[in-house]
Amino acid sequence: MNCLTHERSAWIVGMLLLAAYVTLSTHPSWNPYVDAPYTHMYVVSITAFVTLLVSIFIGVTAYRLRNIQLLCLSFGFISLTELFTLHGISTPGIMMDSNLFTEVTAELSVTLLGAWMWVSSLPSDAPIMRWLARHHVMLLPMLALFLGIIDGLLLSIDQNWGFLVRQPTKLGVAAICLVFYALAGSRYYRSYRYSRLPLQRAIVSSTCLLCVVQVIMSTAQVWTVSWWSYHAILFVSVVIIIAGIAKQYASDASLGTAIRGIFATDPMERIEAAIGPKVRAMILETERRDPYTAGHNTRVAMYAVALGRQMGIPPEQLRALAQGGSIHDVGKIHIADHILNKPGRLTDVERRIIEQHPVIGYELCKGLGFMQDELEIIRHHHERYDGLGYPDGLRGAEIPLLSRITSVADVYDALTSSRSYRAALPHELAMQMIADGAGTQFDPACVSAWQSIDFTEQSTSSGCLWPLEQPSNTQVERDV
């Protein structure tokens, strides 16, 4: 089913639900009161608490996978379910007599969900996403503190705050939420048309349902059948997103294997869990388009991690090297085959085209939730230390460190692998060429650390084969 069909289906379901609500609201005999406070408390509280646990797991997974988009979604779910749990516990007639606290928590929960969904839809290089990625370790404690403050304020409200649940206020909040959901849904829809990832499709469907939830919540009479319906629709919308996350990030292996991969300590073990099937499919498509680079992405990731370890890079940055190295050439998907696999020298026009693949990959991946470190690896792995590289002509320390590391790993593997325009170089010659490029093409510190690695074990484990035949200098121009 293509994207347009999914999008139409979501809107059709949403419109049918909205029409059903309007029909019930305009026919009181079809919309009786079902005053069941204990049922409401147990169903809402238990469901919300279970969803909260799932949301926390998603958040932990997002931290380990270094995906800021997934992290923002998890914060939206945590905000929703924490406040919705209070909504259930505070059901009028059981622990509280007033309906004020119950209504405010419900409205606030979906507002925060909408805000976080909107934030998650922003590209990874947007200023707010860069800030969140830079402080991602502290975000969960900050969110917990924020929700705690909100809870304290809500518990202190009295009937003087009744304006919060009056119709003008509720309609104003509903309008803000609808804007959040519309922006998030439209952005994810555009992203899905480009990358076809299941999470994006799920969010498009879910935002349609959440718009219906918001309309019902802000206009329905409490305890009527139509009012009860928004609880079910809200639950279904959350389940759709969780299912999309599971489909996008679950590997083809068993769930136990996937979880072990997520919590592994070795960055190269974790890379299999860090890249879901759809992103892995993009990598495989890159290598299918350029068969001479089969395994190149994985080897570059492995070499980059080895060099990062040698340079004392912390574990969080090693994870970025592993993931960024695995997808650094994904932009080649959109380079024509006759250029990508051309034997011999490229023309100036062809070279300019192929030099766009870092920018293409960057534009593709910034909408998939990759953090700034990975995006910088994708965009800048062909920059040169002397400023003569591409696409941005960065020089020296202007080039991010992880990109400088990946550049060495990328060129080494390119030199020691057979290509359409030349055979592979011997290990010793490739090492000499990298040493000769210190201070011009490569960061001298990276080259020095590279030369100190025991490469016998590294190259054997990568499966590299080094033929004895040595190509001419003109044959290696495209790698260096």
Side-chain angles (χ1 to χ4, degrees), residues 190-233:
R190 289 194 298 271
S191 296
Y192 180 70
R193 289 175 66 95
Y194 190 64
S195 55
R196 303 295 194 191
L197 293 177
L199 175 57
Q200 296 165 339
R201 185 181 65 200
I203 292 175
V204 171
S205 300
S206 182
T207 51
C208 294
L209 297 181
L210 287 167
C211 287
V212 178
V213 166
Q214 190 57 62
V215 171
I216 297 175
M217 181 183 291
S218 59
T219 60
Q221 290 293 317
V222 177
W223 301 120
T224 59
V225 169
S226 59
W227 176 83
W228 280 97
S229 69
Y230 95 73
H231 297 79
I233 299 171

Short mmCIF file of all heavy atoms in Angstrom, two decimals, residues 190-233:
data_model
loop_
_atom_site.label_atom_id
_atom_site.label_comp_id
_atom_site.label_asym_id
_atom_site.label_seq_id
_atom_site.Cartn_x
_atom_site.Cartn_y
_atom_site.Cartn_z
N ARG A 190 5.38 14.16 4.51
CA ARG A 190 6.38 14.50 3.49
C ARG A 190 7.62 13.62 3.62
O ARG A 190 8.18 13.17 2.61
CB ARG A 190 6.78 15.97 3.61
CG ARG A 190 5.68 16.94 3.17
CD ARG A 190 6.23 18.35 2.97
NE ARG A 190 6.78 18.91 4.18
CZ ARG A 190 6.07 19.61 5.06
NH1 ARG A 190 4.78 19.83 4.86
NH2 ARG A 190 6.64 20.11 6.15
N SER A 191 8.03 13.35 4.85
CA SER A 191 9.20 12.49 5.06
C SER A 191 8.92 11.07 4.58
O SER A 191 9.80 10.42 3.99
CB SER A 191 9.58 12.46 6.55
OG SER A 191 9.97 13.73 7.00
N TYR A 192 7.70 10.60 4.82
CA TYR A 192 7.37 9.23 4.42
C TYR A 192 7.35 9.08 2.90
O TYR A 192 7.77 8.04 2.37
CB TYR A 192 6.02 8.81 5.00
CG TYR A 192 5.64 7.40 4.60
CD1 TYR A 192 6.34 6.32 5.12
CD2 TYR A 192 4.62 7.16 3.70
CE1 TYR A 192 6.02 5.03 4.75
CE2 TYR A 192 4.30 5.88 3.32
CZ TYR A 192 5.00 4.82 3.85
OH TYR A 192 4.70 3.54 3.48
N ARG A 193 6.91 10.09 2.20
CA ARG A 193 6.91 10.03 0.74
C ARG A 193 8.33 9.87 0.20
O ARG A 193 8.54 9.32 -0.89
CB ARG A 193 6.28 11.30 0.15
CG ARG A 193 4.78 11.39 0.35
CD ARG A 193 4.26 12.73 -0.15
NE ARG A 193 4.42 12.84 -1.59
CZ ARG A 193 3.47 12.53 -2.48
NH1 ARG A 193 2.30 12.09 -2.05
NH2 ARG A 193 3.69 12.68 -3.77
N TYR A 194 9.32 10.33 1.00
CA TYR A 194 10.71 10.29 0.56
C TYR A 194 11.42 9.01 1.00
O TYR A 194 12.13 8.39 0.23
CB TYR A 194 11.44 11.52 1.09
CG TYR A 194 12.83 11.72 0.52
CD1 TYR A 194 13.01 11.97 -0.83
CD2 TYR A 194 13.95 11.67 1.34
CE1 TYR A 194 14.28 12.17 -1.36
CE2 TYR A 194 15.22 11.87 0.83
CZ TYR A 194 15.37 12.11 -0.53
OH TYR A 194 16.63 12.31 -1.04
N SER A 195 11.20 8.60 2.25
CA SER A 195 12.00 7.50 2.80
C SER A 195 11.22 6.22 3.10
O SER A 195 11.82 5.19 3.35
CB SER A 195 12.70 7.95 4.08
OG SER A 195 11.76 8.46 5.01
N ARG A 196 9.87 6.27 3.13
CA ARG A 196 9.04 5.08 3.30
C ARG A 196 9.29 4.33 4.60
O ARG A 196 9.28 3.10 4.63
CB ARG A 196 9.25 4.12 2.13
CG ARG A 196 8.97 4.72 0.76
CD ARG A 196 7.53 5.08 0.60
NE ARG A 196 7.20 5.35 -0.79
CZ ARG A 196 6.07 5.87 -1.21
NH1 ARG A 196 5.14 6.19 -0.33
NH2 ARG A 196 5.84 6.07 -2.47
N LEU A 197 9.51 5.03 5.69
CA LEU A 197 9.75 4.37 6.97
C LEU A 197 8.42 4.16 7.71
O LEU A 197 7.56 5.04 7.72
CB LEU A 197 10.70 5.19 7.83
CG LEU A 197 12.13 5.28 7.29
CD1 LEU A 197 12.98 6.18 8.18
CD2 LEU A 197 12.78 3.91 7.18
N PRO A 198 8.23 3.00 8.34
CA PRO A 198 6.94 2.68 8.97
C PRO A 198 6.56 3.59 10.12
O PRO A 198 5.37 3.82 10.35
CB PRO A 198 7.12 1.23 9.44
CG PRO A 198 8.59 0.99 9.46
CD PRO A 198 9.17 1.86 8.41
N LEU A 199 7.54 4.11 10.88
CA LEU A 199 7.20 5.01 11.98
C LEU A 199 6.56 6.28 11.45
O LEU A 199 5.60 6.80 12.04
CB LEU A 199 8.45 5.33 12.80
CG LEU A 199 8.27 6.36 13.92
CD1 LEU A 199 7.19 5.91 14.89
CD2 LEU A 199 9.58 6.61 14.65
N GLN A 200 7.08 6.80 10.37
CA GLN A 200 6.50 8.02 9.79
C GLN A 200 5.07 7.78 9.34
O GLN A 200 4.18 8.60 9.58
CB GLN A 200 7.38 8.47 8.62
CG GLN A 200 8.78 8.86 9.04
CD GLN A 200 9.74 8.94 7.87
OE1 GLN A 200 9.49 8.36 6.81
NE2 GLN A 200 10.84 9.64 8.06
N ARG A 201 4.82 6.65 8.71
CA ARG A 201 3.47 6.31 8.28
C ARG A 201 2.54 6.17 9.47
O ARG A 201 1.40 6.64 9.45
CB ARG A 201 3.49 5.00 7.48
CG ARG A 201 2.15 4.60 6.88
CD ARG A 201 2.28 3.30 6.14
NE ARG A 201 2.58 2.21 7.04
CZ ARG A 201 3.13 1.05 6.67
NH1 ARG A 201 3.46 0.86 5.41
NH2 ARG A 201 3.35 0.10 7.55
N ALA A 202 3.04 5.54 10.55
CA ALA A 202 2.23 5.35 11.75
C ALA A 202 1.85 6.69 12.38
O ALA A 202 0.72 6.87 12.85
CB ALA A 202 2.97 4.48 12.75
N ILE A 203 2.79 7.62 12.38
CA ILE A 203 2.51 8.93 12.99
C ILE A 203 1.49 9.70 12.17
O ILE A 203 0.63 10.39 12.72
CB ILE A 203 3.81 9.73 13.17
CG1 ILE A 203 4.68 9.06 14.24
CG2 ILE A 203 3.52 11.17 13.56
CD1 ILE A 203 6.04 9.68 14.42
N VAL A 204 1.57 9.59 10.85
CA VAL A 204 0.56 10.24 10.00
C VAL A 204 -0.84 9.72 10.37
O VAL A 204 -1.79 10.50 10.54
CB VAL A 204 0.86 9.99 8.51
CG1 VAL A 204 -0.31 10.48 7.64
CG2 VAL A 204 2.14 10.70 8.10
N SER A 205 -0.98 8.40 10.50
CA SER A 205 -2.27 7.81 10.86
C SER A 205 -2.69 8.23 12.26
O SER A 205 -3.85 8.58 12.51
CB SER A 205 -2.20 6.29 10.78
OG SER A 205 -1.86 5.86 9.47
N SER A 206 -1.73 8.22 13.18
CA SER A 206 -2.04 8.53 14.57
C SER A 206 -2.48 9.97 14.75
O SER A 206 -3.40 10.26 15.52
CB SER A 206 -0.83 8.24 15.46
OG SER A 206 -1.11 8.48 16.81
N THR A 207 -1.83 10.91 14.05
CA THR A 207 -2.21 12.31 14.21
C THR A 207 -3.63 12.57 13.74
O THR A 207 -4.33 13.44 14.29
CB THR A 207 -1.23 13.24 13.46
OG1 THR A 207 -1.11 12.79 12.10
CG2 THR A 207 0.12 13.26 14.12
N CYS A 208 -4.07 11.82 12.72
CA CYS A 208 -5.47 11.96 12.28
C CYS A 208 -6.42 11.59 13.41
O CYS A 208 -7.41 12.28 13.67
CB CYS A 208 -5.73 11.08 11.06
SG CYS A 208 -4.82 11.56 9.58
N LEU A 209 -6.12 10.47 14.10
CA LEU A 209 -6.97 10.04 15.21
C LEU A 209 -6.88 11.00 16.39
O LEU A 209 -7.88 11.27 17.07
CB LEU A 209 -6.57 8.63 15.65
CG LEU A 209 -6.75 7.52 14.61
CD1 LEU A 209 -6.33 6.17 15.20
CD2 LEU A 209 -8.19 7.45 14.12
N LEU A 210 -5.68 11.53 16.64
CA LEU A 210 -5.52 12.45 17.76
C LEU A 210 -6.29 13.76 17.55
O LEU A 210 -6.75 14.38 18.51
CB LEU A 210 -4.03 12.73 17.99
CG LEU A 210 -3.25 11.57 18.61
CD1 LEU A 210 -1.75 11.82 18.51
CD2 LEU A 210 -3.65 11.36 20.06
N CYS A 211 -6.42 14.16 16.30
CA CYS A 211 -7.26 15.34 16.02
C CYS A 211 -8.71 15.07 16.43
O CYS A 211 -9.38 15.94 17.00
CB CYS A 211 -7.19 15.69 14.53
SG CYS A 211 -5.62 16.44 14.02
N VAL A 212 -9.20 13.87 16.15
CA VAL A 212 -10.56 13.49 16.54
C VAL A 212 -10.67 13.46 18.06
O VAL A 212 -11.65 13.93 18.65
CB VAL A 212 -10.94 12.12 15.94
CG1 VAL A 212 -12.33 11.70 16.40
CG2 VAL A 212 -10.89 12.17 14.42
N VAL A 213 -9.64 12.89 18.72
CA VAL A 213 -9.62 12.85 20.18
C VAL A 213 -9.76 14.25 20.75
O VAL A 213 -10.53 14.50 21.69
CB VAL A 213 -8.31 12.20 20.68
CG1 VAL A 213 -8.11 12.45 22.18
CG2 VAL A 213 -8.32 10.70 20.41
N GLN A 214 -9.01 15.19 20.19
CA GLN A 214 -9.02 16.55 20.72
C GLN A 214 -10.39 17.21 20.55
O GLN A 214 -10.87 17.91 21.45
CB GLN A 214 -7.96 17.39 20.01
CG GLN A 214 -7.73 18.74 20.64
CD GLN A 214 -7.34 18.65 22.09
OE1 GLN A 214 -6.33 18.07 22.43
NE2 GLN A 214 -8.16 19.20 22.97
N VAL A 215 -11.02 16.99 19.42
CA VAL A 215 -12.35 17.56 19.19
C VAL A 215 -13.35 16.99 20.20
O VAL A 215 -14.13 17.73 20.81
CB VAL A 215 -12.82 17.28 17.75
CG1 VAL A 215 -14.29 17.67 17.58
CG2 VAL A 215 -11.96 18.05 16.75
N ILE A 216 -13.33 15.68 20.38
CA ILE A 216 -14.28 15.05 21.32
C ILE A 216 -14.01 15.50 22.74
O ILE A 216 -14.93 15.85 23.49
CB ILE A 216 -14.20 13.51 21.22
CG1 ILE A 216 -14.62 13.04 19.81
CG2 ILE A 216 -15.07 12.85 22.28
CD1 ILE A 216 -14.46 11.55 19.59
N MET A 217 -12.75 15.53 23.13
CA MET A 217 -12.39 15.89 24.50
C MET A 217 -12.85 17.30 24.85
O MET A 217 -13.27 17.57 25.98
CB MET A 217 -10.87 15.77 24.68
CG MET A 217 -10.38 16.09 26.08
SD MET A 217 -8.57 16.02 26.19
CE MET A 217 -8.28 14.28 26.01
N SER A 218 -12.77 18.20 23.89
CA SER A 218 -13.08 19.59 24.19
C SER A 218 -14.56 19.93 24.06
O SER A 218 -14.97 21.02 24.46
CB SER A 218 -12.26 20.51 23.27
OG SER A 218 -12.54 20.24 21.92
N THR A 219 -15.36 19.03 23.51
CA THR A 219 -16.78 19.37 23.27
C THR A 219 -17.78 18.37 23.85
O THR A 219 -18.96 18.70 23.99
CB THR A 219 -17.05 19.49 21.75
OG1 THR A 219 -16.75 18.24 21.10
CG2 THR A 219 -16.22 20.61 21.14
N ALA A 220 -17.36 17.16 24.19
CA ALA A 220 -18.31 16.12 24.63
C ALA A 220 -18.76 16.34 26.07
O ALA A 220 -18.03 16.91 26.90
CB ALA A 220 -17.68 14.75 24.48
N GLN A 221 -19.96 15.87 26.37
CA GLN A 221 -20.47 15.86 27.73
C GLN A 221 -19.88 14.67 28.48
O GLN A 221 -19.88 13.54 27.98
CB GLN A 221 -22.00 15.74 27.73
CG GLN A 221 -22.73 16.98 27.23
CD GLN A 221 -22.55 18.16 28.18
OE1 GLN A 221 -22.63 18.01 29.39
NE2 GLN A 221 -22.31 19.34 27.61
N VAL A 222 -19.37 14.95 29.69
CA VAL A 222 -18.73 13.91 30.49
C VAL A 222 -19.72 12.78 30.77
O VAL A 222 -20.90 13.01 31.03
CB VAL A 222 -18.19 14.50 31.81
CG1 VAL A 222 -17.59 13.39 32.68
CG2 VAL A 222 -17.15 15.57 31.51
N TRP A 223 -19.23 11.54 30.68
CA TRP A 223 -19.94 10.29 30.96
C TRP A 223 -20.87 9.83 29.83
O TRP A 223 -21.46 8.77 29.92
CB TRP A 223 -20.72 10.33 32.27
CG TRP A 223 -19.90 10.61 33.49
CD1 TRP A 223 -20.05 11.64 34.34
CD2 TRP A 223 -18.79 9.84 33.98
NE1 TRP A 223 -19.12 11.60 35.35
CE2 TRP A 223 -18.33 10.49 35.15
CE3 TRP A 223 -18.15 8.68 33.58
CZ2 TRP A 223 -17.26 10.01 35.91
CZ3 TRP A 223 -17.08 8.20 34.32
CH2 TRP A 223 -16.65 8.87 35.47
N THR A 224 -20.99 10.62 28.76
CA THR A 224 -21.79 10.14 27.64
C THR A 224 -20.99 9.10 26.85
O THR A 224 -19.76 9.00 26.98
CB THR A 224 -22.18 11.28 26.69
OG1 THR A 224 -20.98 11.90 26.20
CG2 THR A 224 -23.05 12.31 27.40
N VAL A 225 -21.69 8.33 26.03
CA VAL A 225 -21.02 7.31 25.23
C VAL A 225 -19.97 7.95 24.32
O VAL A 225 -18.86 7.42 24.16
CB VAL A 225 -22.05 6.53 24.39
CG1 VAL A 225 -21.35 5.65 23.35
CG2 VAL A 225 -22.93 5.68 25.29
N SER A 226 -20.30 9.10 23.74
CA SER A 226 -19.34 9.77 22.86
C SER A 226 -18.10 10.22 23.63
O SER A 226 -16.98 10.18 23.10
CB SER A 226 -19.99 10.97 22.17
OG SER A 226 -20.48 11.90 23.14
N TRP A 227 -18.28 10.63 24.89
CA TRP A 227 -17.14 11.01 25.72
C TRP A 227 -16.25 9.81 26.00
O TRP A 227 -15.02 9.90 25.96
CB TRP A 227 -17.65 11.62 27.02
CG TRP A 227 -16.58 11.98 28.02
CD1 TRP A 227 -15.84 13.10 28.05
CD2 TRP A 227 -16.17 11.18 29.15
NE1 TRP A 227 -14.98 13.08 29.13
CE2 TRP A 227 -15.17 11.90 29.82
CE3 TRP A 227 -16.57 9.94 29.65
CZ2 TRP A 227 -14.54 11.42 30.96
CZ3 TRP A 227 -15.95 9.46 30.78
CH2 TRP A 227 -14.95 10.19 31.43
N TRP A 228 -16.86 8.67 26.28
CA TRP A 228 -16.08 7.44 26.50
C TRP A 228 -15.27 7.08 25.26
O TRP A 228 -14.16 6.52 25.36
CB TRP A 228 -17.01 6.28 26.86
CG TRP A 228 -17.45 6.26 28.28
CD1 TRP A 228 -18.63 6.74 28.78
CD2 TRP A 228 -16.73 5.73 29.40
NE1 TRP A 228 -18.70 6.54 30.14
CE2 TRP A 228 -17.54 5.91 30.56
CE3 TRP A 228 -15.50 5.11 29.56
CZ2 TRP A 228 -17.15 5.51 31.83
CZ3 TRP A 228 -15.10 4.70 30.83
CH2 TRP A 228 -15.93 4.91 31.94
N SER A 229 -15.79 7.40 24.08
CA SER A 229 -15.12 6.95 22.85
C SER A 229 -13.73 7.56 22.69
O SER A 229 -12.84 6.93 22.10
CB SER A 229 -15.98 7.30 21.63
OG SER A 229 -16.04 8.71 21.43
N TYR A 230 -13.51 8.78 23.20
CA TYR A 230 -12.19 9.38 22.98
C TYR A 230 -11.10 8.62 23.72
O TYR A 230 -9.94 8.60 23.26
CB TYR A 230 -12.20 10.87 23.34
CG TYR A 230 -11.76 11.25 24.73
CD1 TYR A 230 -10.43 11.20 25.11
CD2 TYR A 230 -12.68 11.71 25.69
CE1 TYR A 230 -10.01 11.58 26.37
CE2 TYR A 230 -12.27 12.09 26.94
CZ TYR A 230 -10.94 12.01 27.29
OH TYR A 230 -10.54 12.38 28.55
N HIS A 231 -11.43 7.98 24.84
CA HIS A 231 -10.43 7.18 25.55
C HIS A 231 -9.95 6.02 24.67
O HIS A 231 -8.74 5.75 24.58
CB HIS A 231 -11.01 6.62 26.85
CG HIS A 231 -11.39 7.69 27.84
ND1 HIS A 231 -12.55 8.41 27.74
CD2 HIS A 231 -10.76 8.13 28.97
CE1 HIS A 231 -12.63 9.26 28.75
NE2 HIS A 231 -11.56 9.12 29.50
N ALA A 232 -10.91 5.36 24.00
CA ALA A 232 -10.55 4.24 23.13
C ALA A 232 -9.75 4.71 21.92
O ALA A 232 -8.75 4.08 21.54
CB ALA A 232 -11.81 3.51 22.67
N ILE A 233 -10.16 5.84 21.32
CA ILE A 233 -9.45 6.35 20.15
C ILE A 233 -8.04 6.78 20.52
O ILE A 233 -7.07 6.54 19.78
CB ILE A 233 -10.23 7.52 19.52
CG1 ILE A 233 -11.62 7.05 19.06
CG2 ILE A 233 -9.47 8.11 18.34
CD1 ILE A 233 -12.53 8.19 18.64
#
